[in-house]
């Protein structure tokens, strides 16, 4: 089982993380201290206590970085991973990889512990109580095997759906044991992808359909290499008819992907786009992405306009919107610009 850092984050370091808020500075300090503690050589007294089975209460079982999209949680997670390797083998996986496993969570966690000294789990999701039960099983097993877990999420453990709807044991674990065993650190601030200049290779056009389509057609004409033009309905259909891994493998064979008329009507649309954009964002061979839409991405599925499960999905979708800002230069197109690229 090979669970390496995505290419996008292989150069992430603590030095290259630029905290913009006090909570980000504190998260950076805690992550550095955690690495230093993991790399420290135990004293003879500590080794003796370990041999006798006594718990070392100074070091938590892991870190849990929580905060909104674009505050650098994944950068800190990757920097931690890079700082620990190669002395400590680190597994780095997205939560979707964990939730796609067909074997029992305890068995998967034992396989992780057999190969890795540290587990980094990015973007822990909140939408499915069954997945949260799987996560609880993995966390408990890794703790029993003395494998630290470092995770990122947009919600605190006690806000998971399972704490409201699920099994009582899982509720207690997520509400109490995670807080007791893990250092939960808030990473707050504005989304850097929307507030600071980032390198973007793709384009997004927002406005009247005929104007945006004409602008994207011009970009298609200027592009070289393998390209595909899809209406948003084509993308939705592909996510239904094709297994996710097969679809992403197909798309990364392209040089350019053009998506016309993105419009999010419900949570199903949001999930389908979310899974594709997130996978392309992390893939080193992803095609350059282009899209058109009548409204800006920030308005597609605004959390403030939803409640309950739909709001939880919209909050997670906000991460996808953030990543679109990282992938694409997004600009409005007026009707009179229809003849311009």
């Amino acid at each position: 089982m090979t669970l390496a850092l995505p290419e996008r984050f292989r150069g992430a370091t603590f030095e290259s993380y630029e905290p913009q808020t006090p909570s980000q500075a504190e998260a950076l300090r805690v992550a550095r201290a955690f690495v230093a503690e993991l790399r420290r050589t135990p004293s003879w007294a500590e080794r003796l206590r370990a041999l006798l089975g006594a718990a070392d209460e100074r070091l938590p079982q892991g870190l849990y970085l929580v905060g909104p999209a674009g505050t650098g949680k994944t950068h800190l997670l990757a920097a931690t991973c890079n700082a620990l390797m190669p002395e400590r083998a680190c597994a780095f996986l997205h939560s979707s990889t964990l939730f796609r496993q067909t074997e029992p969570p305890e068995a998967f966690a034992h396989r992780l512990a057999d190969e890795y000294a540290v587990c980094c789990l990015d973007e822990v999701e909140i939408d499915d109580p069954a997945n949260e039960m799987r996560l609880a099983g993995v966390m408990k097993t890794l703790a029993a095997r003395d494998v630290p877990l470092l995770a990122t999420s947009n919600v605190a453990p006690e806000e998971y759906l399972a704490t409201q709807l699920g099994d009582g044991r899982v509720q207690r674990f997520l509400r109490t044991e995670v807080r007791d065993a893990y250092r939960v650190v808030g990473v707050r601030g504005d989304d850097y992808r929307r507030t600071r200049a980032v390198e973007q290779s793709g384009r997004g056009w927002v406005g009247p359909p005929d104007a945006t389509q004409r602008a994207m057609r011009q970009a298609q004409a200027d592009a070289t290499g393998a390209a595909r033009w899809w209406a948003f309905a084509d993308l939705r259909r592909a996510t239904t008819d094709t297994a996710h891994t097969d679809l992403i493998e197909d798309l990364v064979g392209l040089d350019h992907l053009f998506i016309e008329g993105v419009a999010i009507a419900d949570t199903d649309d949001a999930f389908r786009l979310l899974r594709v954009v997130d996978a392309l964002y992390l893939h080193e061979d992803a095609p350059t992405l282009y899209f058109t839409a009548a409204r800006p991405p920030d308005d597609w599925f605004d959390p403030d306009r939803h409640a309950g499960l739909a709001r939880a999905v919209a909050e997670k979708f906000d991460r996808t919107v953030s990543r679109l800002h990282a992938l694409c230069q997004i600009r409005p197109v007026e009707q009179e610009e229809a003849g311009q690229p």
Side-chain angles (χ1 to χ4, degrees):
M1 177 166 41
T2 302
L3 299 169
L5 270 172
E7 177 67 27
R8 180 178 290 272
F9 300 112
R10 288 180 189 167
T13 64
F14 291 137
E15 291 72 23
S16 61
Y17 182 72
E18 300 178 3
Q20 303 296 309
T21 66
S23 72
Q24 291 176 14
E26 175 64 7
L28 175 61
R29 185 195 68 77
V30 170
R32 276 179 156 152
F34 194 83
V35 167
E37 187 63 28
L38 281 178
R39 299 181 68 174
R40 186 178 64 85
T41 301
S43 67
W44 69 267
E46 291 168 339
R47 291 196 292 269
L48 178 60
R49 285 198 298 272
L51 287 173
L52 296 175
D56 184 356
E57 297 181 353
R58 294 180 308 102
L59 186 65
Q61 292 173 2
L63 293 180
Y64 188 99
L65 305 177
V66 58
T71 55
K73 301 184 300 298
T74 300
H75 183 117
L76 284 174
L77 189 67
T80 301
C81 185
N82 284 326
L84 289 170
M85 294 191 299
E87 290 82 2
R88 286 178 173 261
C90 296
F92 192 98
L93 64 158
H94 190 275
S95 64
S96 61
T97 301
L98 168 62
F99 298 144
R100 283 199 299 268
Q101 301 301 312
T102 57
E103 63 186 325
E106 293 78 10
F108 178 70
H110 279 301
R111 283 205 298 130
L112 279 175
D114 288 342
E115 298 185 37
Y116 296 98
V118 178
C119 180
C120 298
L121 181 62
D122 197 24
E123 295 173 358
V124 173
E125 311 288 20
I126 66 168
D127 53 274
D128 186 347
N131 283 343
E132 289 154 9
M133 292 180 69
R134 177 174 288 274
L135 173 64
V138 168
M139 294 173 86
K140 289 180 179 180
T141 303
L142 290 178
R145 293 286 303 269
D146 293 324
V147 175
L149 173 68
L150 296 90
T152 68
S153 182
N154 66 330
V155 294
E158 60 270 18
E159 295 174 357
Y160 285 173
L161 295 180
T163 64
Q164 307 165 42
L165 308 173
D167 179 89
R169 292 169 298 175
V170 180
Q171 292 175 346
R172 287 190 295 275
F173 175 79
L174 293 173
R175 283 177 174 164
T176 306
E177 294 185 37
V178 172
R179 280 284 182 184
D180 291 343
Y182 290 80
R183 179 73 182 269
V184 180
V185 183
V187 189
R188 306 293 175 184
D190 295 329
D191 182 352
Y192 78 92
R193 301 183 187 104
R194 301 184 224 201
T195 59
R196 286 185 282 165
V198 294
E199 184 176 348
Q200 304 147 315
S201 58
R203 299 283 298 276
W205 295 270
V206 177
D210 56 345
T212 56
Q213 184 192 73
R214 187 169 300 182
M216 192 161 73
R217 285 292 185 193
Q218 183 61 55
Q220 182 189 34
D222 294 338
T224 58
R228 181 175 302 165
W229 182 288
W230 265 351
F232 185 57
D234 298 325
L235 177 64
R236 288 201 309 264
R237 190 177 306 110
T239 60
T240 301
D241 298 342
T242 308
H244 178 70
T245 53
D246 293 339
L247 174 60
I248 299 306
E249 183 178 352
D250 174 45
L251 293 179
V252 298
L254 301 170
D255 296 299
H256 306 275
L257 176 61
F258 298 86
I259 307 295
E260 179 188 359
V262 178
I264 306 300
D266 51 30
T267 56
D268 185 62
D269 283 349
F271 266 127
R272 293 179 188 281
L273 184 61
L274 177 154
R275 295 191 71 202
V276 171
V277 171
D278 283 6
L280 295 181
Y281 177 81
L282 294 173
H283 204 291
E284 58 187 302
D285 296 321
T288 302
L289 181 64
Y290 309 80
F291 71 87
T292 68
R295 296 188 298 163
D298 298 75
D299 294 340
W300 288 350
F301 208 56
D302 187 347
D304 292 338
R305 300 175 187 172
H306 300 275
L309 178 58
R311 181 180 178 86
V313 174
E315 288 174 344
K316 183 166 63 173
F317 184 74
D318 187 60
R319 179 190 71 224
T320 300
V321 173
S322 174
R323 290 179 164 183
L324 277 174
H325 281 277
L327 293 170
C328 302
Q329 301 175 41
I330 302 171
R331 73 178 186 91
V333 179
E334 301 298 337
Q335 186 66 49
E336 58 268 20
E337 295 183 73
Q340 302 178 16

